[in-house]
Amino acid sequence: RSSDHWVDFNFFGHQLAIHYKEKEDTPNKAHNAVDGKHVPVPHYGVVLDWPVFIGFSENLKAKNITFIIEPYIRFEGLVGEQITMFFEDPSGNALEFKAFKDPKQLFAK
């Protein structure tokens, strides 16, 4: 998937999402609008199997992890439909975890 503001690369079966954003005074807080959400840039995306994602997201919720974007289904009913969530690692880096019911949709346009 790509647009005027981002391109996704197949990074050994995972997704490396490269977003363009004008430099701001707070570069770690930059974001792009995707599916009505404020997706942090830069971020690293890991693709999980659907059941693994569900278990992982439930575990994070039980541990009261603060989400940048809570787990939800993105692009519902469209090409590239996925479940995704974003949160920060302890160093403040944005991480995305996602899963596809149909793994062939990972790089579908």
Side-chain angles (χ1 to χ4, degrees):
R1 170 181 295 276
S2 61
S3 78
D4 293 343
H5 300 288
W6 88 84
V7 62
D8 294 335
F9 295 97
N10 182 344
F11 190 67
F12 302 99
H14 292 281
Q15 185 180 45
L16 183 58
I18 305 297
H19 289 246
Y20 171 77
K21 186 69 177 177
E22 293 282 336
K23 187 170 181 164
E24 299 177 3
D25 290 336
T26 55
N28 293 335
K29 301 302 177 189
H31 68 273
N32 277 332
V34 179
D35 194 37
K37 306 283 186 188
H38 297 289
V39 171
V41 293
H43 70 267
Y44 180 72
V46 175
V47 180
L48 304 172
D49 291 330
W50 195 276
V52 172
F53 179 97
I54 298 299
F56 184 44
S57 65
E58 289 172 357
N59 186 294
L60 292 172
K61 287 177 186 178
K63 293 182 180 196
N64 295 316
I65 294 298
T66 301
F67 291 96
I68 299 168
I69 297 175
E70 300 244 354
Y72 85 105
I73 300 208
R74 177 193 286 168
F75 309 131
E76 193 164 6
L78 302 172
V79 172
E81 180 176 338
Q82 60 197 257
I83 191 166
T84 185
M85 64 182 165
F86 288 80
F87 57 92
E88 292 180 345
D89 71 10
S91 296
N93 298 302
L95 303 175
E96 176 185 23
F97 290 84
K98 64 171 62 179
F100 294 80
K101 283 191 176 175
D102 178 2
K104 292 181 225 152
Q105 293 286 304
L106 177 60
F107 293 104
K109 290 185 178 182

